[in-house]
Amino acid sequence: MKNSLLLMLFLALLLIIACNKKTKTETEDLYLPEVSNKITVNTYTKVTAVTALVSDSGTKYLLGLAPHASYFYFDRSIANGEAYYKALLHSMERFKPYKFYIQEHTGAVVAIVYAAPQEAEAFYNAWER
């Protein structure tokens, strides 16, 4: 009887420790580099979230960005492409807005950075209307 009570207390203690263990934040392992001035030439920015990510061929993807009806483009082979790809997946899974640098006339996403808190809030407010 005493042994089973001690075993139950030990298991309860393990459960409490496991539940209180800190988990990674959702973007802790997601590094997005600062955007160079070279990249910002002939681009515009858009704070938005990914609604669709479809492989076009190899490293090229078609992107749906809220609330636009047209597609944008992303090439995973660009500099920092893997980090940007992780951000795209994260945005789509959690409907989280990021700031996208989009090349004029082509619609190609050339860089992605974190949206400022006020930009993300403005995006969510506009989306809820």
Side-chain angles (χ1 to χ4, degrees), residues 7-126:
L7 180 61
M8 287 182 3
L9 286 173
F10 178 73
L11 291 175
L13 180 63
L14 286 177
L15 183 60
I16 290 170
I17 290 171
C19 289
N20 287 336
K21 195 173 187 180
K22 290 186 178 183
T23 58
K24 278 186 168 183
T25 60
E26 60 187 41
T27 59
E28 188 175 307
D29 61 344
L30 185 60
Y31 167 74
L32 293 175
E34 289 186 31
V35 178
S36 72
N37 289 338
K38 276 196 307 190
I39 290 177
T40 61
V41 175
N42 296 323
T43 64
Y44 63 94
T45 60
K46 185 100 178 107
V47 175
T48 186
V50 176
T51 56
L53 179 63
V54 180
S55 177
D56 191 25
S57 63
T59 61
K60 298 182 188 316
Y61 296 84
L62 295 173
L63 290 176
L65 298 177
H68 305 284
S70 62
Y71 277 97
F72 296 84
Y73 305 95
F74 174 70
D75 188 344
R76 196 170 172 175
S77 65
I78 64 173
N80 303 308
E82 286 303 311
Y84 297 152
Y85 180 73
K86 287 180 183 178
L88 293 172
L89 291 175
H90 186 257
S91 177
M92 188 171 68
E93 290 169 359
R94 302 189 191 272
F95 199 66
K96 178 176 174 48
Y98 286 91
K99 182 183 279 189
F100 292 82
Y101 286 81
I102 302 169
Q103 207 170 43
E104 294 176 356
H105 308 296
T106 66
V109 173
V110 294
I112 302 170
V113 296
Y114 291 105
Q118 62 271 25
E119 292 173 321
E121 184 179 343
F123 169 78
Y124 287 128
N125 288 339

